[in-house]
Amino acid sequence: MRQRTRVAIVGAGPAGMLLAHLLDAHGIESVIVETRSQAYVLARIRAGILEHSTVELLRSVGLGDRLDAEGLPHRGIYLQTPQERHHLDFVDLVGRQVWVYGQTEVQKDLVAARTRAGQAVYYGVADVELDDLTTDRPTVRFTDADGVQRTLEADAVAGCDGSFGPSRAAIPAAVTSVWERTYPYSWLGVLASVPPSTDELIYAWHPDGFAMHSMRSAQVSRLYLQVPNGTRVDEWSHDRIWEALSTRLGHTGWELAAGPITEAAVLPMRSFVQSPMRHGRLFLAGDAAHIVPPTGAKGLNLAVADVALLARALAALLVDGDAGPADAYSETALRRVWRCTHFSWWMTSMLHTSGDPFDAQLQMSQLRWLFSSTAGATGLAENYAGLPLDL
């Protein structure tokens, strides 16, 4: 069965849903295909920090009401070693703040908005194939959840389907360049039904390994421990997790409150960038084109920046007949991608222990510089709170 649409979007996560929302504002119809179920996509626990620019964009397109009511605005972060804890106030430093608002909540808002708009979405599809990408009528073929074989004929295809979807692989290897780094450690991340023991995020360097105290709400804490690659969750009892967190996050006059752990998972860490982010009428966005370690809170925000840029480029191409922004999409997007890739690598390498005493001394020097230098702290704040979307 053949179906015509202006833009075929592969992937119904935040990148794909937000792109459909932005395209709709330009009068451009789209159809989304997703291999997972709607329930699975809604339940994925991922990023929790929204940059200033991301929040501004969501508000500007009618997606900010629940964020403003339930999100937690943070002026900055705490950065610490076992000897000292310092607060970096982003508002004082760069006039921008961040919000704690989980990716699951962003996804709920997007799904609600697109459902009201009558967005066409196929969940639970299989055998997705992208064809005719170098023509002006690219196609996406798939089998829907009822076993019906379908072909979407479009003017453009947006690959928003993450690291393991078909979009990235549809660009011939002969025309791509790939840069990748796998880090020698992972995160053990837990969700706990206990109010946060801090008003803002804590990033902690410790000889035993990095630790982080984040949150999802006023009642739910999100915490992380650096662990070796290959670690299994069942190697860490709940008591062991809380003991390690208390040690690594410990600070004079402060105590970590423990509570029931409702979810635990080991998260491998890597950096990945593929160029170009465009091939013919296929445009990649988000994790389909790049991955960053979560230390710098950039993954979801980078995807938002990608689709904001892509929506404008597709509107120029499909509404105004101007191919310039689409031709420049990959180069323009990659400037921000590499800036955020560097920042994420820098935060990661500064805070995670390697066991090398020389590395530890370099890390201490870097942290002391951030604690004592307004210029250093401003650089961190500028990148963490988020660069303008038109970078």
Side-chain angles (χ1 to χ4, degrees):
M1 184 178 296
R2 298 186 74 85
Q3 182 177 349
R4 181 82 174 90
T5 189
R6 299 302 305 278
V7 179
I9 300 173
V10 186
M17 282 287 182
L18 180 58
L19 178 60
H21 191 79
L22 297 176
L23 290 174
D24 190 26
H26 290 285
I28 299 172
E29 177 203 21
S30 64
V31 175
I32 304 173
V33 299
E34 169 61 53
T35 58
R36 303 287 193 170
S37 69
Q38 184 181 47
Y40 178 92
V41 177
L42 279 169
R44 284 186 294 199
I45 302 295
R46 295 286 179 86
I49 302 296
L50 301 184
E51 294 177 358
H52 190 92
S53 295
T54 296
V55 171
E56 287 183 326
L57 174 67
L58 294 175
R59 286 171 173 164
S60 73
V61 295
L63 296 169
D65 289 351
R66 204 162 66 89
L67 189 162
D68 286 331
E70 301 178 20
L72 305 176
H74 283 194
R75 292 181 62 95
I77 60 171
Y78 294 100
L79 200 59
Q80 76 173 49
T81 68
Q83 291 75 39
E84 50 189 324
R85 176 183 290 176
H86 291 264
H87 184 249
L88 275 61
D89 191 306
F90 301 159
V91 177
D92 285 348
L93 290 164
V94 295
R96 297 161 73 83
Q97 61 183 344
V98 297
W99 277 257
V100 173
Y101 193 67
Q103 178 172 316
T104 51
E105 305 309 312
V106 174
Q107 184 71 13
K108 289 175 187 176
D109 295 341
L110 286 163
V111 169
R114 298 319 304 148
T115 299
R116 289 193 298 270
Q119 176 70 47
V121 186
Y122 292 94
Y123 287 101
V125 308
D127 307 319
V128 180
E129 295 184 11
L130 283 60
D131 295 307
D132 306 316
L133 298 175
T134 56
T135 74
D136 60 1
R137 286 293 184 271
T139 58
V140 176
R141 292 187 286 118
F142 62 96
T143 303
D144 70 18
D146 296 321
V148 177
Q149 294 184 341
R150 296 181 178 273
T151 299
L152 285 178
E153 183 183 277
D155 297 318
V157 176
C160 303
D161 48 345
S163 303
F164 304 107
S167 298
R168 179 193 292 178
I171 300 181
V175 302
T176 63
S177 297
V178 170
W179 298 265
E180 187 170 13
R181 171 160 296 177
T182 300
Y183 296 87
Y185 32 72
S186 300
W187 277 8
L188 173 60
V190 302
L191 274 177
S193 296
V194 59
S197 302
T198 178
D199 59 333
E200 296 187 337
L201 275 65
I202 302 172
Y203 285 77
W205 183 96
H206 192 277
D208 294 348
F210 170 75
M212 179 178 172
H213 190 331
S214 182
M215 65 278 292
R216 282 295 176 268
S217 70
Q219 293 78 40
V220 178
S221 295
R222 182 72 160 149
L223 305 112
Y224 300 95
L225 289 167
Q226 177 186 342
V227 294
N229 287 344
T231 295
R232 301 192 316 272
V233 172
D234 60 14
E235 296 172 3
W236 284 77
S237 69
H238 290 189
D239 287 344
R240 184 186 178 191
I241 290 171
W242 285 116
E243 182 180 358
L245 286 167
S246 295
T247 298
R248 299 186 196 183
L249 292 166
H251 184 64
T252 303
W254 177 88
E255 186 174 348
L256 176 67
I261 292 175
T262 58
E263 182 176 319
V266 174
L267 316 170
M269 301 178 70
R270 65 186 179 119
S271 297
F272 177 96
V273 180
Q274 176 171 307
S275 175
M277 291 173 60
R278 179 201 179 175
H279 177 66
R281 287 293 179 97
L282 168 64
F283 301 83
L284 302 182
D287 288 358
H290 43 75
I291 301 289
V292 291
T295 323
K298 289 285 156 272
L300 174 59
N301 294 291
L302 259 183
V304 169
D306 284 350
V307 298
L309 181 65
L310 180 56
R312 294 197 299 268
L314 290 175
L317 178 67
L318 302 181
V319 177
D320 303 327
D322 178 5
D327 291 341
Y329 168 70
S330 180
E331 180 181 354
T332 305
L334 283 168
R335 283 201 291 269
R336 171 182 277 272
V337 168
W338 277 114
R339 174 84 299 275
C340 293
T341 297
H342 177 268
F343 177 69
S344 299
W345 163 85
W346 177 72
M347 287 281 287
T348 301
S349 61
M350 176 175 63
L351 291 165
H352 290 73
T353 57
S354 68
D356 184 331
F358 185 79
D359 286 348
Q361 291 301 317
L362 292 178
Q363 291 171 324
M364 287 299 97
S365 175
Q366 185 104 270
L367 288 164
R368 284 192 294 266
W369 173 61
L370 291 173
F371 296 160
S372 61
S373 167
T374 300
T378 299
L380 189 154
E382 181 181 46
N383 283 273
Y384 195 105
L387 300 165
L389 287 177
D390 59 0
L391 175 67

